Amino acid sequence: MQQDLIARARAWLAEDPDSETRDELGKLIEAGDLAELGDRFSGTLQFGTAGLRGELGAGPMRMNRVVVIRAAAGLAAYLRAKGQGDGLVVIGYDARYKSADFARDTAAVMVAAGLRAAVLPRPLPTPVLAFAIRKLGAVAGVEVTASHNPPRDNGYKVYLGDGSQIVPPADAEIAAEIGAIASIDDVPRAVGAPPGRSSGGGWETLGDEVLEAYLERTDAVLTAASPRTARVVYTAMHGVGKDVVLSAFARAGFPAPALVEAQAEPDPAFPTVAFPNPEEPGAMDLAFETARRVGPDVVIANDPDADRCAVAVPDDSAEAGWRMLRGDEVGALLAAHLVHKGATGVFAESIVSSSLLGRIARAAGLGHEETLTGFKWIARVDGLRYGYEEALGYCVDPGGVRDKDGITAALLVAELVSELKEQGRTLSDLLDDLAVEHGLHATDQLSVRVEDLGVIADAMRTLRERPPVMLAGLRVTSAEDLTRGTEKLPPTDGLRYYLDGEFAARVIVRPSGTEPKLKCYLEVVVPVADASELGTARERAAGVLADIKRDLSAAAGI
């Protein structure tokens, strides 16, 4: 067993084209670190949830050039099998460690396989890549990013020609092609071309034309002659959003956002945050510090690849003086704003997002759909006009970007803040209006990060074998195992409970598709007769949510 492990590690070392990971793996072999080698060679990173994501390092259970070259070759083989072997593949990348290398490797594999490849000119937001796929008539797109994961992670997100992330069965078919590759020594790779040119059989490095086309479209999400007065503090969270956000705001005629300077420039080490995710505790501290100094109307943050958008509002009761809005709150605000702007079509959301969106849509006479988690599903809803998910993802221009887009969402938030400002009102005031009209929809999340994925499997098995009958004193009236699918949803690993009693509530439990986490999504709906009841309603909702967390943790054994 030990000899087999060392042999596999030496075989990997022999074909690894990256001097850094070769050196890393060579030291592990020399030191005889069987525990670390065993972890790295315990299997392979699984291709799914739109692609790959994992920690950087040598070995098949890490993100590295060998894994990426194999993934690119598998994607190329899939495209050839679908009769698209001469099509264009567009490749984008963020500013994380190794992202540019992975992008070049992907382009080199595509061209050598007979496809054409074009790489975006520099690290740019993921929505620009999603836009470029359809703009350039590509058959597929790849974005090298780990979004808001820790610094040592990277990922590989795959889109098809409709501009949406892959869904089954494409993911399994690509995975099968990857699995058929014996060695990357068998995978030919081409040499690239200078920026703006394609020659010598290599790939093209694009100029700024696609970015300009994307920026020209961003202003289209706004109403002509709408007020553009919102004063914004903005953080790029050490990612790639700053320049594109500043350009989009300038073109739209908004005041230039005040930057959180320490987080403005791309930095793969993410030195000022424990996790580069606006939802994580402490991630917004510097933004709030800047806001206290500048005094803006709103704080807006992107995650590192700028496909998500976080919003914070002034709140005297909060220790920082500012309160992060939940993704469900921003989702409802943008929906209400689009209704006010006369939007038509279908509003869609993932099943873990607030049911408030459905009430807003129905009240406006609009269609409403629920999908599985992820924009790969939301973006495929027929007639989609607006889609969101609670994890800070918003699609406000599906005609341009069939994915979440933190740039256009930020513009729409700034427009809404400007319109309310003219009326002497705020985002908090509009949230109060929605609560009075539709009931207070309070949401929360129980999220458990684990080292051992077996903990998640055990919790899901426990809940399936002994489902709760009461949570927070509310009776469980419906318990669905989503692995069986529903009338409208394909099967997925999740559980959904509906509760009833003094209040209506809903709980969804599922393993994260991108992180080692068990996620539990909670919602309670408290009827509100008028604005005078809001304070009491929020207190009662918070108490119920806390009790659901407690009881659910006990039921799941976590």
Side-chain angles (χ1 to χ4, degrees):
M1 187 71 177
Q2 176 179 331
Q3 290 180 335
D4 177 62
L5 176 59
I6 296 295
R8 284 188 288 133
R10 290 191 185 282
W12 185 279
L13 185 68
E15 69 174 12
D16 190 344
D18 189 323
S19 61
E20 288 185 32
T21 46
R22 276 203 315 272
D23 182 60
E24 174 189 315
L25 184 56
K27 289 177 179 176
L28 291 174
I29 294 171
E30 184 178 349
D33 191 340
L34 299 181
E36 183 65 20
L37 289 171
D39 182 51
R40 291 168 182 244
F41 287 84
S42 61
T44 59
L45 280 184
Q46 293 302 300
F47 190 90
T49 313
L52 298 164
R53 194 176 294 189
E55 184 180 350
L56 290 164
M61 287 296 289
R62 299 288 188 267
M63 282 295 296
N64 50 65
R65 290 184 63 194
V66 176
V67 166
V68 165
I69 290 167
R70 289 171 59 90
L75 175 59
Y78 167 85
L79 293 171
R80 290 199 307 270
K82 297 297 182 183
Q84 298 175 318
D86 60 350
L88 172 68
V89 178
V90 187
I91 302 150
Y93 58 102
D94 66 12
R96 284 177 177 266
Y97 296 118
K98 299 291 182 182
S99 286
D101 294 338
F102 294 167
R104 286 191 293 268
D105 281 334
T106 300
V109 170
M110 294 300 163
V111 170
L115 291 117
R116 294 173 290 126
V119 181
L120 295 183
R122 57 187 171 279
L124 286 168
T126 293
V128 177
L129 180 278
F131 169 83
I133 293 167
R134 297 172 68 205
K135 175 68 176 178
L136 299 177
V139 297
V142 172
E143 177 70 16
V144 181
T145 180
S147 188
H148 57 278
N149 275 39
R152 286 299 302 169
D153 286 6
N154 213 326
Y156 198 80
K157 186 181 291 188
V158 179
Y159 299 75
L160 293 182
D162 62 356
S164 300
Q165 298 172 46
I166 55 170
V167 295
D171 53 356
E173 292 173 4
I174 295 170
E177 297 286 3
I178 295 170
I181 298 163
S183 167
I184 68 164
D185 291 339
D186 302 328
V187 179
R189 282 167 278 161
V191 178
R197 300 212 311 273
S198 180
S199 62
W203 65 89
E204 178 181 3
T205 301
L206 297 168
D208 280 343
E209 295 82 6
V210 169
L211 175 59
E212 287 297 315
Y214 169 81
L215 285 167
E216 286 176 9
R217 189 174 177 98
T218 57
D219 194 37
V221 305
L222 306 176
T223 301
S226 64
R228 315 279 168 93
T229 60
R231 293 173 298 115
V232 174
V233 160
Y234 170 76
T235 177
M237 204 65 68
H238 297 295
V240 297
K242 183 200 72 174
D243 290 344
V244 180
V245 165
L246 292 181
S247 294
F249 271 65
R251 286 169 182 254
F254 286 103
L259 299 178
V260 179
E261 294 292 349
Q263 299 175 335
E265 299 302 327
D267 188 335
F270 303 105
T272 69
V273 292
F275 287 93
N277 178 356
E279 293 180 294
E280 292 286 344
M284 295 292 289
D285 286 355
L286 289 179
F288 294 159
E289 180 182 307
T290 304
R292 289 192 295 272
R293 186 175 69 251
V294 172
D297 300 307
V298 68
V299 172
I300 293 177
N302 286 140
D303 66 338
D305 69 325
D307 63 349
R308 299 169 193 253
C309 178
V311 179
V313 297
D315 186 342
D316 292 337
S317 68
E319 183 179 349
W322 287 80
R323 180 177 76 88
M324 269 279 290
L325 297 182
R326 293 188 173 278
D328 285 320
E329 292 177 304
V330 178
L333 288 168
L334 291 178
H337 186 45
L338 289 169
V339 167
H340 176 69
K341 287 158 66 77
T344 58
V346 177
F347 284 11
E349 61 183 324
S350 61
I351 58 171
V352 299
S353 303
S354 173
S355 60
L356 176 56
L357 183 70
R359 298 199 184 195
I360 292 171
R362 287 188 289 273
L366 301 177
H368 172 252
E369 293 288 341
E370 285 186 321
T371 74
L372 295 184
T373 305
F375 269 84
K376 61 183 181 181
W377 300 108
I378 293 171
R380 287 182 161 80
V381 168
D382 288 340
L384 180 68
R385 174 59 186 88
Y386 168 63
Y388 100 93
E389 61 181 2
E390 54 76 41
L392 308 182
Y394 314 95
C395 175
V396 302
D397 178 26
V401 175
R402 290 187 181 175
D403 199 2
K404 52 187 177 291
D405 183 346
I407 312 295
T408 48
L411 286 174
L412 208 58
V413 167
E415 180 184 56
L416 174 56
V417 170
S418 300
E419 290 190 356
L420 291 169
K421 187 177 175 182
E422 280 205 342
Q423 304 163 21
R425 305 177 73 239
T426 66
L427 294 178
S428 297
D429 294 328
L430 182 53
L431 285 171
D432 288 350
D433 292 347
L434 293 173
V436 171
E437 182 177 359
H438 302 292
L440 176 67
H441 289 62
T443 60
D444 202 351
Q445 188 178 132
L446 172 63
S447 182
V448 182
R449 183 180 290 272
V450 301
E451 295 293 331
D452 178 6
L453 292 177
V455 173
I456 294 176
D458 289 345
M460 295 297 290
R461 182 170 58 253
T462 297
L463 289 171
R464 287 189 168 103
E465 292 175 353
R466 298 187 297 276
V469 295
M470 296 280 287
L471 293 171
L474 303 175
R475 185 168 54 90
V476 177
T477 58
S478 171
E480 295 176 281
D481 186 342
L482 298 177
T483 56
R484 303 187 181 103
T486 71
E487 185 178 339
K488 292 189 175 182
L489 298 173
T492 188
D493 187 6
L495 300 164
R496 179 165 58 180
Y497 307 110
Y498 288 101
L499 318 176
D500 204 3
E502 184 181 5
F503 307 117
R506 185 204 64 194
V507 174
I508 295 175
V509 184
R510 59 179 283 271
S512 171
T514 57
E515 298 177 90
K517 286 182 176 181
L518 180 68
K519 290 189 168 184
C520 309
Y521 305 84
L522 323 175
E523 180 179 49
V524 60
V525 181
V526 180
V528 179
D530 56 54
S532 67
E533 296 183 2
L534 282 170
T536 301
R538 288 195 171 101
E539 288 179 8
R540 299 180 76 185
V544 173
L545 290 170
D547 289 346
I548 292 176
K549 278 187 181 182
R550 179 200 64 213
D551 293 351
L552 186 62
S553 294
I558 53 177

